[in-house]
Amino acid sequence: MKNSWVGWSVIILVFLSGCTNTLGQDFTHVTINHKNQRSPYDLLEKMFGVSVQLPTDFNSYKQGKHFLWLSNNDAEVVKSIALYSVKGKAMSALSVPSFCHLRDSVMYKNVRGITDVIYMKTLQESVRVKKSCTSPIFWYEGLWKMQNDAMGGDFICRAINHPFGHDILFAEAILYAPGIENKTILIRQLQAVLQSIK
């Protein structure tokens, strides 16, 4: 069991490190380690017109087209935030099936494993949706897995009207922590990050 966990740790770190980008993926991967590098705060403002309070251990990001992945790249508990915007969708039309379809298409383009046949997929039967009573914000919560692989975990997504127009901005917290049985505290910590978006 321990050897299996070590193997999966290596795969997730390679996956998140950007070393396995495939043709068609438009990613820039940066590990933030000196002052001259563009900070994720600058990218969030430039790409999406928002600010967010990130945990201090988020030291890596990957940038795609209308897509930004931020991560702590930890060996045991991988916490990530993904932001992406989608044009031409109405918030009210985002039922669970339509959200899962949209999420899967974005993740298929942007989040791949060590080969093209390994990609992130939403487990639709696990997804629950809640609408905010005070604002036009939808929350989706459920499970993800890597298709054709054994990796998976929890996610929570905040869907809000994009400040730059009629697009929808999706902000997701994605957790991979196979060694932790009760992940509630970790998910709620990540949810607080999503709630800090302004």
Short mmCIF file of all heavy atoms in Angstrom, two decimals, residues 18-54:
data_model
loop_
_atom_site.label_atom_id
_atom_site.label_comp_id
_atom_site.label_asym_id
_atom_site.label_seq_id
_atom_site.Cartn_x
_atom_site.Cartn_y
_atom_site.Cartn_z
N GLY A 18 3.77 20.29 -14.77
CA GLY A 18 3.79 20.82 -16.12
C GLY A 18 4.79 20.11 -17.01
O GLY A 18 4.99 20.50 -18.15
N CYS A 19 5.44 19.07 -16.51
CA CYS A 19 6.45 18.37 -17.30
C CYS A 19 5.83 17.46 -18.35
O CYS A 19 6.53 16.96 -19.21
CB CYS A 19 7.34 17.52 -16.38
SG CYS A 19 8.29 18.51 -15.24
N THR A 20 4.53 17.21 -18.26
CA THR A 20 3.91 16.25 -19.17
C THR A 20 2.94 16.91 -20.13
O THR A 20 2.00 16.28 -20.57
CB THR A 20 3.16 15.18 -18.35
OG1 THR A 20 2.18 15.83 -17.57
CG2 THR A 20 4.11 14.40 -17.48
N ASN A 21 3.11 18.19 -20.41
CA ASN A 21 2.20 18.85 -21.34
C ASN A 21 2.20 18.14 -22.68
O ASN A 21 3.23 17.74 -23.19
CB ASN A 21 2.63 20.30 -21.54
CG ASN A 21 2.40 21.12 -20.31
OD1 ASN A 21 1.62 20.74 -19.46
ND2 ASN A 21 3.07 22.24 -20.21
N THR A 22 1.01 17.99 -23.25
CA THR A 22 0.88 17.31 -24.53
C THR A 22 0.60 18.34 -25.61
O THR A 22 0.27 19.48 -25.32
CB THR A 22 -0.27 16.30 -24.46
OG1 THR A 22 -1.46 16.99 -24.10
CG2 THR A 22 0.02 15.21 -23.46
N LEU A 23 0.69 17.93 -26.86
CA LEU A 23 0.39 18.83 -27.96
C LEU A 23 -1.03 19.35 -27.81
O LEU A 23 -1.95 18.61 -27.46
CB LEU A 23 0.55 18.10 -29.29
CG LEU A 23 1.98 17.72 -29.65
CD1 LEU A 23 1.98 16.89 -30.93
CD2 LEU A 23 2.84 18.95 -29.83
N GLY A 24 -1.21 20.61 -28.08
CA GLY A 24 -2.54 21.20 -27.97
C GLY A 24 -2.77 21.88 -26.63
O GLY A 24 -3.70 22.63 -26.48
N GLN A 25 -1.94 21.62 -25.64
CA GLN A 25 -2.08 22.29 -24.37
C GLN A 25 -1.26 23.57 -24.41
O GLN A 25 -0.08 23.55 -24.74
CB GLN A 25 -1.62 21.40 -23.22
CG GLN A 25 -2.60 20.29 -22.93
CD GLN A 25 -2.16 19.49 -21.75
OE1 GLN A 25 -1.19 18.76 -21.81
NE2 GLN A 25 -2.85 19.64 -20.65
N ASP A 26 -1.89 24.68 -24.07
CA ASP A 26 -1.25 25.98 -24.14
C ASP A 26 -0.95 26.43 -22.71
O ASP A 26 -1.63 27.27 -22.16
CB ASP A 26 -2.20 26.95 -24.85
CG ASP A 26 -1.56 28.30 -25.06
OD1 ASP A 26 -0.33 28.38 -25.03
OD2 ASP A 26 -2.32 29.27 -25.26
N PHE A 27 0.08 25.84 -22.09
CA PHE A 27 0.38 26.09 -20.69
C PHE A 27 1.72 26.75 -20.51
O PHE A 27 2.69 26.46 -21.21
CB PHE A 27 0.44 24.79 -19.89
CG PHE A 27 -0.88 24.37 -19.32
CD1 PHE A 27 -1.32 23.08 -19.50
CD2 PHE A 27 -1.66 25.25 -18.61
CE1 PHE A 27 -2.52 22.67 -18.96
CE2 PHE A 27 -2.86 24.86 -18.06
CZ PHE A 27 -3.30 23.56 -18.24
N THR A 28 1.78 27.64 -19.55
CA THR A 28 3.04 28.13 -19.03
C THR A 28 3.07 27.71 -17.58
O THR A 28 2.15 28.03 -16.83
CB THR A 28 3.11 29.67 -19.13
OG1 THR A 28 2.97 30.03 -20.49
CG2 THR A 28 4.42 30.19 -18.59
N HIS A 29 4.08 26.98 -17.18
CA HIS A 29 4.19 26.55 -15.79
C HIS A 29 5.31 27.30 -15.10
O HIS A 29 6.39 27.45 -15.65
CB HIS A 29 4.48 25.05 -15.70
CG HIS A 29 4.74 24.61 -14.30
ND1 HIS A 29 5.99 24.55 -13.77
CD2 HIS A 29 3.90 24.27 -13.30
CE1 HIS A 29 5.92 24.16 -12.51
NE2 HIS A 29 4.66 23.99 -12.21
N VAL A 30 5.03 27.83 -13.93
CA VAL A 30 6.03 28.59 -13.19
C VAL A 30 5.99 28.18 -11.73
O VAL A 30 4.93 28.09 -11.13
CB VAL A 30 5.75 30.11 -13.29
CG1 VAL A 30 6.75 30.90 -12.46
CG2 VAL A 30 5.79 30.57 -14.74
N THR A 31 7.16 27.91 -11.18
CA THR A 31 7.30 27.79 -9.73
C THR A 31 7.79 29.13 -9.23
O THR A 31 8.82 29.63 -9.69
CB THR A 31 8.29 26.68 -9.35
OG1 THR A 31 7.80 25.45 -9.90
CG2 THR A 31 8.42 26.55 -7.84
N ILE A 32 7.03 29.73 -8.34
CA ILE A 32 7.32 31.10 -7.92
C ILE A 32 8.45 31.07 -6.89
O ILE A 32 8.30 30.53 -5.80
CB ILE A 32 6.06 31.74 -7.30
CG1 ILE A 32 4.93 31.70 -8.31
CG2 ILE A 32 6.33 33.16 -6.84
CD1 ILE A 32 3.56 31.80 -7.71
N ASN A 33 9.61 31.62 -7.25
CA ASN A 33 10.72 31.59 -6.31
C ASN A 33 11.55 32.85 -6.30
O ASN A 33 12.54 32.92 -5.59
CB ASN A 33 11.61 30.36 -6.55
CG ASN A 33 12.14 30.32 -7.97
OD1 ASN A 33 12.14 31.32 -8.68
ND2 ASN A 33 12.58 29.14 -8.39
N HIS A 34 11.21 33.86 -7.10
CA HIS A 34 11.91 35.13 -6.94
C HIS A 34 11.03 36.30 -7.37
O HIS A 34 9.99 36.13 -8.00
CB HIS A 34 13.26 35.14 -7.68
CG HIS A 34 13.16 34.99 -9.16
ND1 HIS A 34 12.73 36.00 -9.99
CD2 HIS A 34 13.45 33.94 -9.96
CE1 HIS A 34 12.77 35.60 -11.24
NE2 HIS A 34 13.19 34.35 -11.26
N LYS A 35 11.44 37.51 -7.00
CA LYS A 35 10.60 38.69 -7.12
C LYS A 35 10.26 39.08 -8.56
O LYS A 35 9.24 39.71 -8.80
CB LYS A 35 11.28 39.88 -6.43
CG LYS A 35 11.38 39.74 -4.94
CD LYS A 35 12.08 40.94 -4.35
CE LYS A 35 12.28 40.75 -2.84
NZ LYS A 35 13.03 41.85 -2.25
N ASN A 36 11.11 38.75 -9.52
CA ASN A 36 10.89 39.19 -10.89
C ASN A 36 9.84 38.39 -11.63
O ASN A 36 9.43 38.77 -12.71
CB ASN A 36 12.21 39.15 -11.67
CG ASN A 36 13.20 40.16 -11.12
OD1 ASN A 36 12.81 41.18 -10.59
ND2 ASN A 36 14.48 39.86 -11.24
N GLN A 37 9.43 37.24 -11.09
CA GLN A 37 8.42 36.45 -11.77
C GLN A 37 7.04 37.06 -11.55
O GLN A 37 6.76 37.63 -10.51
CB GLN A 37 8.44 35.01 -11.26
CG GLN A 37 9.66 34.25 -11.74
CD GLN A 37 9.71 32.86 -11.17
OE1 GLN A 37 9.22 32.61 -10.08
NE2 GLN A 37 10.33 31.96 -11.89
N ARG A 38 6.20 36.92 -12.56
CA ARG A 38 4.83 37.42 -12.45
C ARG A 38 4.10 36.65 -11.35
O ARG A 38 4.14 35.42 -11.33
CB ARG A 38 4.11 37.24 -13.78
CG ARG A 38 2.65 37.57 -13.74
CD ARG A 38 2.05 37.52 -15.11
NE ARG A 38 2.27 38.78 -15.77
CZ ARG A 38 1.90 39.02 -17.02
NH1 ARG A 38 1.33 38.10 -17.73
NH2 ARG A 38 2.12 40.20 -17.56
N SER A 39 3.45 37.35 -10.47
CA SER A 39 2.75 36.68 -9.38
C SER A 39 1.38 36.23 -9.83
O SER A 39 0.80 36.80 -10.75
CB SER A 39 2.62 37.62 -8.17
OG SER A 39 1.52 38.49 -8.36
N PRO A 40 0.84 35.21 -9.17
CA PRO A 40 -0.51 34.78 -9.52
C PRO A 40 -1.54 35.88 -9.27
O PRO A 40 -2.57 35.92 -9.93
CB PRO A 40 -0.75 33.55 -8.64
CG PRO A 40 0.30 33.57 -7.61
CD PRO A 40 1.44 34.36 -8.14
N TYR A 41 -1.26 36.78 -8.32
CA TYR A 41 -2.19 37.88 -8.06
C TYR A 41 -2.31 38.77 -9.30
O TYR A 41 -3.40 39.20 -9.66
CB TYR A 41 -1.71 38.70 -6.86
CG TYR A 41 -1.69 37.91 -5.57
CD1 TYR A 41 -0.50 37.39 -5.08
CD2 TYR A 41 -2.86 37.66 -4.87
CE1 TYR A 41 -0.48 36.65 -3.92
CE2 TYR A 41 -2.86 36.91 -3.70
CZ TYR A 41 -1.66 36.41 -3.22
OH TYR A 41 -1.65 35.66 -2.07
N ASP A 42 -1.17 39.05 -9.95
CA ASP A 42 -1.19 39.85 -11.17
C ASP A 42 -1.98 39.14 -12.28
O ASP A 42 -2.74 39.76 -13.02
CB ASP A 42 0.23 40.12 -11.67
CG ASP A 42 1.03 41.00 -10.71
OD1 ASP A 42 0.41 41.72 -9.90
OD2 ASP A 42 2.27 40.94 -10.76
N LEU A 43 -1.76 37.83 -12.40
CA LEU A 43 -2.46 37.07 -13.43
C LEU A 43 -3.96 37.03 -13.18
O LEU A 43 -4.75 37.14 -14.12
CB LEU A 43 -1.91 35.64 -13.49
CG LEU A 43 -0.57 35.49 -14.19
CD1 LEU A 43 -0.01 34.09 -13.97
CD2 LEU A 43 -0.70 35.77 -15.68
N LEU A 44 -4.35 36.87 -11.93
CA LEU A 44 -5.78 36.85 -11.60
C LEU A 44 -6.44 38.16 -12.00
O LEU A 44 -7.54 38.17 -12.57
CB LEU A 44 -5.97 36.59 -10.10
CG LEU A 44 -5.71 35.17 -9.63
CD1 LEU A 44 -5.52 35.13 -8.13
CD2 LEU A 44 -6.84 34.25 -10.05
N GLU A 45 -5.76 39.26 -11.72
CA GLU A 45 -6.30 40.57 -12.08
C GLU A 45 -6.33 40.74 -13.59
O GLU A 45 -7.34 41.18 -14.16
CB GLU A 45 -5.44 41.67 -11.43
CG GLU A 45 -5.86 43.07 -11.80
CD GLU A 45 -7.24 43.46 -11.29
OE1 GLU A 45 -7.61 43.01 -10.18
OE2 GLU A 45 -7.94 44.19 -12.01
N LYS A 46 -5.25 40.38 -14.27
CA LYS A 46 -5.16 40.58 -15.72
C LYS A 46 -6.13 39.68 -16.48
O LYS A 46 -6.81 40.10 -17.42
CB LYS A 46 -3.74 40.33 -16.19
CG LYS A 46 -3.56 40.56 -17.67
CD LYS A 46 -2.13 40.32 -18.11
CE LYS A 46 -2.02 40.51 -19.61
NZ LYS A 46 -0.71 40.17 -20.12
N MET A 47 -6.20 38.40 -16.11
CA MET A 47 -7.00 37.43 -16.85
C MET A 47 -8.49 37.51 -16.54
O MET A 47 -9.33 37.34 -17.42
CB MET A 47 -6.50 36.01 -16.58
CG MET A 47 -5.13 35.72 -17.14
SD MET A 47 -4.57 34.06 -16.70
CE MET A 47 -5.70 33.03 -17.66
N PHE A 48 -8.80 37.75 -15.25
CA PHE A 48 -10.20 37.63 -14.83
C PHE A 48 -10.76 38.87 -14.14
O PHE A 48 -11.94 38.92 -13.83
CB PHE A 48 -10.37 36.42 -13.90
CG PHE A 48 -9.89 35.13 -14.49
CD1 PHE A 48 -8.73 34.52 -14.04
CD2 PHE A 48 -10.58 34.52 -15.54
CE1 PHE A 48 -8.28 33.33 -14.58
CE2 PHE A 48 -10.12 33.34 -16.10
CZ PHE A 48 -8.97 32.74 -15.62
N GLY A 49 -9.90 39.86 -13.84
CA GLY A 49 -10.37 41.07 -13.18
C GLY A 49 -10.78 40.87 -11.75
O GLY A 49 -11.66 41.58 -11.24
N VAL A 50 -10.18 39.88 -11.08
CA VAL A 50 -10.54 39.58 -9.69
C VAL A 50 -9.29 39.53 -8.81
O VAL A 50 -8.17 39.42 -9.31
CB VAL A 50 -11.29 38.23 -9.57
CG1 VAL A 50 -12.59 38.26 -10.34
CG2 VAL A 50 -10.41 37.07 -10.02
N SER A 51 -9.52 39.61 -7.52
CA SER A 51 -8.46 39.37 -6.55
C SER A 51 -8.92 38.24 -5.64
O SER A 51 -10.12 37.99 -5.48
CB SER A 51 -8.18 40.63 -5.73
OG SER A 51 -9.31 40.99 -4.97
N VAL A 52 -7.96 37.54 -5.05
CA VAL A 52 -8.28 36.41 -4.17
C VAL A 52 -7.18 36.30 -3.11
O VAL A 52 -6.02 36.61 -3.38
CB VAL A 52 -8.42 35.10 -4.98
CG1 VAL A 52 -7.15 34.75 -5.69
CG2 VAL A 52 -8.88 33.94 -4.11
N GLN A 53 -7.56 35.87 -1.93
CA GLN A 53 -6.59 35.67 -0.85
C GLN A 53 -6.10 34.22 -0.91
O GLN A 53 -6.79 33.31 -0.46
CB GLN A 53 -7.23 35.97 0.50
CG GLN A 53 -7.61 37.42 0.66
CD GLN A 53 -8.33 37.69 1.96
OE1 GLN A 53 -8.53 36.81 2.78
NE2 GLN A 53 -8.73 38.94 2.15
N LEU A 54 -4.92 34.05 -1.48
CA LEU A 54 -4.36 32.70 -1.62
C LEU A 54 -3.57 32.30 -0.38
O LEU A 54 -2.91 33.14 0.23
CB LEU A 54 -3.42 32.65 -2.83
CG LEU A 54 -4.06 32.78 -4.20
CD1 LEU A 54 -2.98 32.91 -5.26
CD2 LEU A 54 -4.94 31.58 -4.50
#
